Amino acid sequence: MIEIATERLILRDWRETDLPAWAAINADPEVREHLGPVWDEARSAASIAHYQEAYRRNGFGFWAVEQRDSGELIGLAGIDPVEPEVPFEGVEIGWRLARSAWGHGYASEAARVVLEFGFQTVGLDEILAITLAGNVRSQAVMRRIGMTHAADLDFDHRETPDGEVFRHVVYRKRR
Ligand SMILES: CC(C)(COP(=O)(O)OP(=O)(O)OC[C@H]1O[C@@H](n2cnc3c(N)ncnc32)[C@H](O)[C@@H]1OP(=O)(O)O)[C@@H](O)C(=O)NCCC(=O)NCCS
């Protein structure tokens, strides 16, 4: 079991009681603007099961992020192996917060302890971050936590053979 406290947040394992708040985050089109279609509650429930399973398998993954003052679940942060459709291997850092929790520095605060966990506890040599070129808020978090653009790793991804091409940018930080 993992529980890491920062000044304003707690990063911890997922609980069944997180589902309503987590589902509300994923049902928000603004949150999902660069991630794809909104999720229904069943999809959010399946994602929690997936994060728990991946954590058991890898010894790291995406944590629930709770606001210490309110005790509310405000999103996720963590590290995970890059998705199979990505043209290289590695471990990427990720974050997703409720719209109401943007603009407070929470993503960067969570991400800093995630990096520390990845480098110090897991022993990774490098952590990547991948996002759509248009997701400027996410790239701002990457820069704020000291990651640098690895332009040589940027890539295009096409969802279907004749579908739209999505430009992805990659940031990295080494231990
Ligand atoms: C990406 C995402 C997590 C970024 O959240 P964010 O709140 O912009 O990022 P930070 O936590 O770094 O907060 C920085 C902002 O908080 C402000 N801030 C306010 N109080 C602060 C404090 N005490 N400390 C630090 N920053 C503070 C900063 O000035 C900055 O404001 P700005 O955006 O106006 O420049 C959020 O937009 C999100 O969840 N998006 C949807 C999901 C998504 O796309 N995820 C990434 C997929 S790759």
Side-chain angles (χ1 to χ4, degrees), residues 8 30-32 34-35 93-98 101-109 130-132 135 137-138 140-142 144:
R8 299 175 296 171
E30 208 174 341
V31 170
R32 302 229 17 115
H34 303 286
L35 305 178
I93 186 167
W95 36 67
R96 188 184 313 167
L97 298 184
W102 299 7
H104 299 278
Y106 292 144
S108 300
E109 187 170 320
I130 304 171
T131 194
L132 286 184
N135 196 343
R137 292 194 81 101
S138 197
V141 177
M142 295 170 194
R144 254 177 229 122

Side-chain angles (χ1 to χ4, degrees), residues 100-165:
S100 57
W102 299 7
H104 299 278
Y106 292 144
S108 300
E109 187 170 320
R112 286 192 184 96
V113 297
V114 170
L115 285 180
E116 197 183 317
F117 176 85
F119 290 133
Q120 307 304 327
T121 307
V122 182
L124 299 170
D125 292 323
E126 177 183 73
I127 295 176
L128 303 170
I130 304 171
T131 194
L132 286 184
N135 196 343
V136 293
R137 292 194 81 101
S138 197
Q139 288 162 60
V141 177
M142 295 170 194
R143 288 189 293 271
R144 254 177 229 122
I145 62 172
M147 304 188 85
T148 50
H149 186 194
D152 54 314
L153 295 179
D154 287 357
F155 63 96
D156 292 323
H157 179 66
R158 203 187 287 267
E159 294 285 319
T160 55
D162 54 352
E164 193 183 343
V165 170

